[in-house]
Amino acid sequence: MLELKDISAGYGRINALSGVGLKVDAGRVVALLGANGAGKTTTLNCISRVVALTSGEIHFEGQRVDRLASEDMVARGVCQVPEGREIFARMSVRENLEIGAHLRRDTAVIRQDLDRVCEYFPRLRQRFAQEAGTLSGGEQQMLLIARALMGRPKLLLLDEPSLGLSPLLVEQIFAIIRQLNKEGLTILLVEQNARIALNVSDYAYILENGEIAFEGNSADLVRDDRVRQAYLGA
Amino acid sequence: MDWQLIWLFLQQGVASGLVTGSIYALLAVAIVIIFKTTDAPNFAAGELFMAAAYVALYLLVFLALPFIAVVPLSLGVAFIAAALFYRIVLQKIGSSAAVTVNVVIATLGLSFVLKGAVRKTGVGDVPRSFPSIFGNDTITIGQAVLTLQDIGILALAVVSMTIFFLFFNFTRTGRAMRAVGMNPKAAVLVGINLRRTRMLIWGLSGLLSSLAALLIAPKILMTADMGSVVILGFAAAIIGGFTSLPGAVLGGLIIGIAENLVGLFISSRAISVAPFVAIMLVLVLRPQGLLGGKVAVKKV
Ligand SMILES: Nc1ncnc2c1ncn2[C@@H]1O[C@H](COP(=O)(O)OP(=O)(O)OP(=O)(O)O)[C@@H](O)[C@H]1O
Ligand SMILES: [Mg+2]
């Protein structure tokens, strides 16, 4: 479904990614792990066409997409849940969700989807009219995922959904991620929390200093000694 | 001064103040929407306003077009000119560092270009007056006397601001504009085209300035320096908190009323001081402006 071929990217003179190759097959959960500053967010932003490549190619559903604009990626069904709390703070929860469907014109279906995403996150329904900036951190994370779902993604890019959440909430969010995948959504999951990410994913890549250091089936990586030492603290 | 006279002056001051205040309010809204989404004040707002008035004058007096054609043409020209300015000049700057300073310099540059253009074309070399569509008959409300033209100005300003607020708050494009103002990064990720949205905002700001120009032109003597009126739009924006649209409107009305009350109660020579006294009072009592929310600490 998605393939990054040898991509490099940077910020000014800083090189953030050098020669990253990565594949996400339809229907799978693929994890992208790595320490702080390894280049995980940069990778997602290359896919979302927010950060420009300096070399390499990105293919989505058989077509080359690395020259497209960011809205074209959303239109094609690649939606990102960014790290941090990138909500529209002064809009209501409802508007935050509706704006996730900004590029869609099927008003009737959008209304149904509003109900559908609130089934995953009943908490949001109760806060519909509230300003999004007044939500708790966990609720804001739910809102971000729900907003991305409003774009009807085929491929969901998740950037550290567990960051700053209580263990209970992390469990809940990952249960929903599993469920979304079971319902057919393909997911590229960026995480610091390697244990939980390897647990939900089928396949994983590990970034070190902008290069892929390890890759393999998640089940195998969990047992790999080097991975265990560096990322699972064992 | 007896109570009856005070009561009369109060009524007249508020009524006349609402009329001029509604124009400052339009200008303040034009300034605030750009500030919220481009992160820099548009220092060419005054000259856009002035040039828009001259475009209308040119169409009306020199080309002898009817009002019905002049209004949409002038608004359209202002919309397109402001949008193109963003597209051609600011877009270039946006990709370099030190964005805010450069935007300010570019808008100052535009203001000189526009002023020069109006002075050199022979339209703006002598003061001119702008014909009015409304008669000069008067209406008495309570004890306040307004001309039909005043009523027309107020009505048109209120109607257009209402349309603008409905558009801004309840349409897809308006929502995209608010989103870009709140969080451009998130806006990009939901598929909003930043460049197009900002261009539209500049266009809209030009349109509002030109509307203000059309409304006020018949009341004043037109010169190439008439753009200085926009300083009162900035003042209104500051009183309102600089990022709040309702605040901008409120600020505009307050300044209009303050000017008129000062003119009636103190002296017409003190009018130009009134807005700054109002700004100082508001900033001392509420540093964030009337509706500005908390003083924002900007994340870097
Ligand atoms: N906007 C930027 N300007 C300059 N350098 C940047 C920018 N964003 C990221 N970088 C640099 O690029 C490198 C990769 O950053 P990136 O955000 O992709 O890391 P990450 O793996 O997502 O880290 P984290 O787990 O902390 O989110 C880092 O060295 C970072 O300092
Ligand atoms: Mg990151």
Side-chain angles (χ1 to χ4, degrees):
Chain A
M1 182 178 233
L2 176 79
E3 188 172 4
L4 311 188
K5 292 182 176 168
D6 210 19
I7 67 163
S8 302
Y11 304 91
R13 261 164 277 139
I14 305 164
N15 234 359
L17 296 178
S18 24
V20 169
L22 180 155
K23 246 171 112 163
V24 182
D25 289 329
R28 306 254 256 164
V29 178
V30 172
L32 180 61
L33 310 176
N36 288 116
K40 307 180 294 295
T41 300
T42 306
T43 308
L44 293 191
N45 281 338
C46 285
I47 301 170
S48 288
R49 306 293 311 112
V50 178
V51 170
L53 302 187
T54 48
S55 67
E57 294 179 8
I58 301 178
H59 293 252
F60 181 69
E61 293 189 314
Q63 280 175 315
R64 193 165 167 190
V65 294
D66 48 82
R67 302 269 164 72
L68 296 184
S70 48
E71 64 264 27
D72 298 327
M73 293 310 286
V74 178
R76 279 167 194 239
V78 179
C79 298
Q80 187 188 140
V81 178
E83 72 182 329
R85 303 285 183 245
E86 304 285 353
I87 53 165
F88 300 107
R90 301 290 303 273
M91 287 187 194
S92 68
V93 167
R94 188 199 175 101
E95 264 197 304
N96 268 272
L97 292 175
E98 283 170 347
I99 208 168
H102 179 74
L103 292 176
R104 295 169 54 192
R105 301 291 186 150
D106 45 350
T107 326
V109 191
I110 290 176
R111 208 160 300 139
Q112 288 170 15
D113 283 355
L114 214 52
D115 289 329
R116 197 174 59 91
V117 298
C118 287
E119 275 163 32
Y120 296 116
F121 305 103
R123 194 77 82 82
L124 295 180
R125 161 80 68 201
Q126 296 161 15
R127 305 271 191 279
F128 241 36
Q130 197 171 316
E131 251 186 29
T134 64
L135 295 181
S136 76
E139 289 163 348
Q140 293 188 5
Q141 186 63 50
M142 296 180 195
L143 179 61
L144 282 179
I145 299 177
R147 183 180 76 194
L149 293 178
M150 288 300 293
R152 288 237 151 174
K154 296 177 193 159
L155 172 63
L156 186 67
L157 309 175
L158 278 166
D159 200 347
E160 305 209 33
S162 73
L163 197 72
L165 303 188
S166 71
L168 189 67
L169 206 51
V170 172
E171 294 254 321
Q172 278 178 19
I173 294 229
F174 275 86
I176 288 163
I177 292 172
R178 268 201 200 91
Q179 188 190 343
L180 288 169
N181 175 247
K182 221 174 264 156
E183 291 167 10
L185 184 61
T186 310
I187 293 169
L188 178 56
L189 168 68
V190 160
E191 261 301 333
Q192 296 253 4
N193 185 335
R195 193 177 304 276
I196 196 158
L198 288 175
N199 189 298
V200 293
S201 60
D202 305 299
Y203 200 85
Y205 294 85
I206 298 181
L207 267 179
E208 278 175 9
N209 298 322
E211 295 176 38
I212 301 284
F214 305 98
E215 66 169 280
N217 290 319
S218 303
D220 299 335
L221 286 182
V222 174
R223 272 180 258 112
D224 188 295
D225 281 338
R226 290 167 305 174
V227 174
R228 282 168 68 95
Q229 266 192 1
Y231 295 97
L232 297 172
Chain B
M1 202 184 271
D2 64 60
W3 289 110
Q4 266 185 335
L5 193 60
I6 291 179
W7 177 229
L8 173 70
F9 277 8
L10 269 178
Q11 291 181 60
Q12 186 64 50
V14 170
S16 307
L18 287 176
V19 174
T20 38
S22 67
I23 290 170
Y24 305 152
L26 276 175
L27 291 170
V29 168
I31 290 164
V32 167
I33 55 175
I34 285 190
F35 184 74
K36 271 171 91 95
T37 49
T38 316
D39 257 0
N42 173 15
F43 284 121
E47 280 62 35
L48 275 170
F49 164 86
M50 179 272 299
Y54 274 100
V55 167
L57 182 76
Y58 183 77
L59 295 172
L60 201 61
V61 176
F62 290 69
L63 297 186
L65 294 178
F67 254 112
I68 197 90
V70 169
V71 172
L73 270 178
S74 321
L75 296 181
V77 166
F79 181 95
I80 292 170
L84 281 183
F85 174 67
Y86 174 75
R87 181 74 178 82
I88 295 167
V89 181
L90 295 186
Q91 194 79 73
K92 281 260 159 23
I93 294 171
S95 46
S96 69
V99 180
T100 306
V101 174
N102 289 345
V103 169
V104 168
I105 291 171
T107 62
L108 282 174
L110 176 67
S111 79
F112 286 118
V113 168
L114 289 175
K115 215 183 241 183
V118 167
R119 285 217 177 97
K120 288 284 179 290
T121 46
V123 185
D125 45 4
V126 288
R128 289 176 189 275
S129 52
F130 194 90
S132 161
I133 30 168
F134 304 103
N136 267 330
D137 297 337
T138 58
I139 289 185
T140 313
I141 304 166
Q143 287 171 290
V145 180
L146 292 179
T147 61
L148 274 184
Q149 172 166 296
D150 288 338
I151 303 281
I153 289 174
L154 184 57
L156 286 172
V158 168
V159 167
S160 41
M161 277 189 280
T162 309
I163 293 174
F164 175 76
F165 277 97
L166 292 176
F167 163 79
F168 202 61
N169 286 310
F170 299 108
T171 67
R172 178 174 174 275
T173 311
R175 187 180 61 198
M177 290 176 172
R178 282 181 291 133
V180 169
M182 270 177 232
N183 191 339
K185 197 167 144 195
V188 166
L189 290 178
V190 297
I192 291 169
N193 183 324
L194 274 193
R195 178 186 297 200
R196 195 185 315 132
T197 308
R198 288 193 171 133
M199 205 170 117
L200 271 177
I201 288 169
W202 274 79
L204 210 56
S205 173
L207 188 148
L208 289 171
S209 304
S210 128
L211 190 67
L214 285 175
L215 291 178
I216 206 176
K219 266 178 92 82
I220 60 175
L221 204 57
M222 289 176 64
T223 68
D225 294 317
M226 67 182 271
S228 57
V229 170
V230 171
I231 198 82
L232 297 173
F234 275 102
I238 292 170
I239 286 183
F242 227 95
T243 54
S244 159
L245 289 173
V249 173
L250 192 62
L253 299 180
I254 287 177
I255 288 186
I257 292 171
E259 276 188 341
N260 277 280
L261 289 180
V262 166
L264 287 170
F265 282 104
I266 300 172
S267 151
S268 60
R269 270 172 300 170
I271 287 180
S272 56
V273 187
F276 302 99
V277 174
I279 289 184
M280 293 218 265
L281 274 179
V282 169
L283 291 188
V284 167
L285 298 175
R286 245 182 98 79
Q288 70 272 44
L290 290 178
L291 301 178
K294 293 200 188 72
V295 177
V297 179
K298 207 163 170 185
K299 273 193 294 181
V300 182

